[in-house]
Amino acid sequence: MKTGLKAAKMYMFPPESSSYLPNPHIQNHSCIGSYAMRFQEYMRKRDYMGAIDQAVVSERNLNFHDSTVMLKFANELSNSSKSCIETKDGTLLTPFEAVL
């Protein structure tokens, strides 16, 4: 942590992540925003569960006000053939199936 924190850009996700779309802010821009400060604070305190939590939270959240990120995400979602949309009953659908 002495050299700082950077997100892994263009990470190749394992097969068990195949139903997820990566967060474009992290995947394309290697940016986790203000979560980096929180992550480093948890690491300084040796609160590793807090640090893991911040890593998960940063990946799960999209900045809907960032047009660059949302344009990329919307394009990836609309062109995806991944079953990445979960219904209330737990069924996974492709974006095309979800629109129907």
Side-chain angles (χ1 to χ4, degrees):
M1 296 310 300
K2 292 179 183 176
T3 60
L5 172 70
K6 291 188 179 186
K9 188 175 180 180
M10 302 313 287
Y11 179 74
M12 297 300 293
F13 289 90
E16 57 268 19
S17 301
S18 65
S19 65
Y20 297 99
L21 290 175
N23 183 322
H25 214 145
I26 297 170
Q27 186 76 344
N28 300 104
H29 304 287
S30 190
C31 179
I32 59 174
S34 64
Y35 294 106
M37 291 185 306
R38 292 183 201 142
F39 183 86
Q40 289 185 332
E41 177 67 24
Y42 283 119
M43 291 301 288
R44 273 194 294 281
K45 293 179 180 179
R46 297 189 190 314
D47 180 355
Y48 303 118
M49 293 305 293
I52 291 169
D53 178 62
Q54 286 305 295
V56 170
V57 168
S58 69
E59 177 60 32
R60 292 182 73 181
N61 288 294
L62 289 175
N63 182 352
F64 283 87
H65 297 284
D66 185 336
S67 61
T68 302
V69 171
M70 289 313 299
L71 178 63
K72 179 75 173 161
F73 182 77
N75 282 335
E76 287 181 19
L77 180 62
S78 62
N79 293 318
S80 178
S81 59
K82 291 183 178 185
S83 296
C84 58
I85 299 176
E86 187 172 350
T87 63
K88 289 181 182 180
D89 69 1
T91 304
L92 290 173
L93 304 172
T94 66
F96 182 77
E97 293 168 334
V99 172
L100 296 178

